[in-house]
């Protein structure tokens, strides 16, 4: 049975008198992979920000599990729906320090133990010894994997990825996308990725949502 995880209903977004999104209607089925594909400035990243409530639509509504997104506490929402940015967010210290950052500042309770940290690293395609590595010395691809591992600690239902391969060479990008595919298959995660590179959209697989000038013009498997 296909269950709708996220539903966008007549979403419009206007900012600084510019229409970024217009009448977007879309159903995201739980456990599937989706790619928001299109040129820069088409509204792809704005859609991700709305789903994560980093911004709100000018009109329309977004439903998560049938509930209006505005009814959910922000912290609960962002635990359910993790967003990995285009440029990896990395703090000083080791990889372990980076994974523990949300707990150290008190943003999230019940910190994980080392076994849980090693588990999310493995899911993200990194070895156990990365825990003690200095985060600043990692490659861009490894930093991106650390960001994904940090999100996985929240046990999200949905993983949003904003151009995660943009700073990677082809080999690193391919390995990252293979890890993301595995996460989707093994953990049943719903994946929504933004990209303007068709080869990476096809590599991730799933449903490609073609977005042009703030509107969905095509959906294809």
């Amino acid at each position: 049975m296909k269950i709708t995880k996220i539903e966008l209903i007549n979403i419009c977004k206007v900012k600084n008198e510019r229409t970024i999104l217009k009448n977007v209607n879309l159903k995201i089925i739980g456990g599937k992979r989706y790619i928001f594909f299109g040129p820069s400035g088409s509204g792809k990243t704005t859609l991700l920000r709305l789903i994560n409530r980093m911004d709100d639509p000018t009109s329309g509504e977004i439903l998560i599990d049938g509930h209006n997104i505005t009814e959910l506490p922000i912290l609960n929402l962002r635990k359910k729906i993790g967003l990995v940015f285009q440029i990896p967010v990395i703090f000083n210290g080791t990889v372990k320090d980076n994974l523990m950052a949300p707990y150290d500042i008190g943003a999230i309770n019940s910190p994980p133990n080392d076994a849980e940290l090693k588990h999310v690293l493995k899911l993200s395609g990194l070895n156990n010894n990365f825990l003690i590595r200095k985060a600043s010395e990692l490659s861009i691809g490894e930093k991106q994997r650390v960001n994904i591992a940090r999100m996985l600690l929240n046990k999200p239902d949905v993983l949003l990825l904003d151009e995660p391969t943009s700073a990677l060479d082809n080999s690193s990008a391919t390995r990252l996308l293979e890890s993301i595919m595995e996460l989707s298959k093994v953990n049943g995660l719903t994946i929504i990725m933004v990209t303007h590179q068709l080869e990476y959209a096809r590599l991730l697989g799933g449903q490609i949502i073609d977005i042009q000038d703030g509107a969905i013009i095509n959906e294809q498997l």
Side-chain angles (χ1 to χ4, degrees), residues 78-135:
R78 290 180 182 163
K79 287 178 69 175
K80 288 169 66 74
I81 302 177
L83 173 58
V84 176
F85 296 95
Q86 182 175 354
I87 303 300
V89 178
I90 292 294
F91 307 105
N92 290 330
T94 65
V95 168
K96 180 177 181 178
D97 293 331
N98 273 262
L99 295 178
M100 295 296 292
Y103 306 92
D104 291 340
I105 64 174
I108 304 177
N109 298 320
S110 304
N113 56 38
D114 277 6
E116 292 173 287
L117 296 180
K118 291 175 181 178
H119 179 63
V120 294
L121 283 180
K122 182 179 180 181
L123 288 175
S124 304
L126 296 176
N127 297 324
N128 292 346
N129 60 11
F130 272 83
L131 274 184
I132 60 174
R133 294 271 301 273
K134 287 186 177 180

Side-chain angles (χ1 to χ4, degrees), residues 3-8 27-34 36 47-48 50-53 62-65 69 72 76-84 147-148 150-162 180 183-184 187-193:
I3 300 175
T4 301
K5 187 69 184 177
I6 300 170
E7 186 171 5
L8 308 177
K27 289 184 178 182
I28 301 293
I29 304 300
K32 302 294 184 181
R33 297 191 296 276
Y34 295 83
F36 291 167
L47 272 177
L48 285 196
L50 296 182
I51 293 172
N52 191 250
R53 273 209 86 190
I62 300 174
L63 306 182
I64 306 291
D65 294 327
I69 197 172
L72 297 173
N76 290 354
L77 172 68
R78 290 180 182 163
K79 287 178 69 175
K80 288 169 66 74
I81 302 177
L83 173 58
V84 176
N147 274 239
I148 291 173
R150 189 163 54 214
M151 290 298 170
L152 292 178
L153 284 171
N154 291 328
K155 299 179 174 62
D157 297 330
V158 181
L159 193 60
L160 309 177
L161 302 150
D162 185 12
I180 292 169
L183 275 175
S184 175
N187 285 38
L189 276 176
T190 304
I191 305 288
I192 304 175
M193 183 180 78

Side-chain angles (χ1 to χ4, degrees), residues 35-45 86 161-168 193-202 208-212:
I35 301 94
F36 291 167
F37 173 76
S40 297
S42 60
K44 307 183 303 296
T45 294
Q86 182 175 354
L161 302 150
D162 185 12
E163 297 272 11
T165 59
S166 63
L168 306 182
M193 183 180 78
V194 160
T195 187
H196 64 274
Q197 296 173 283
L198 187 57
E199 62 179 306
Y200 293 148
R202 288 173 172 163
I208 297 175
I209 312 295
D210 195 350
I211 301 173
Q212 305 281 342

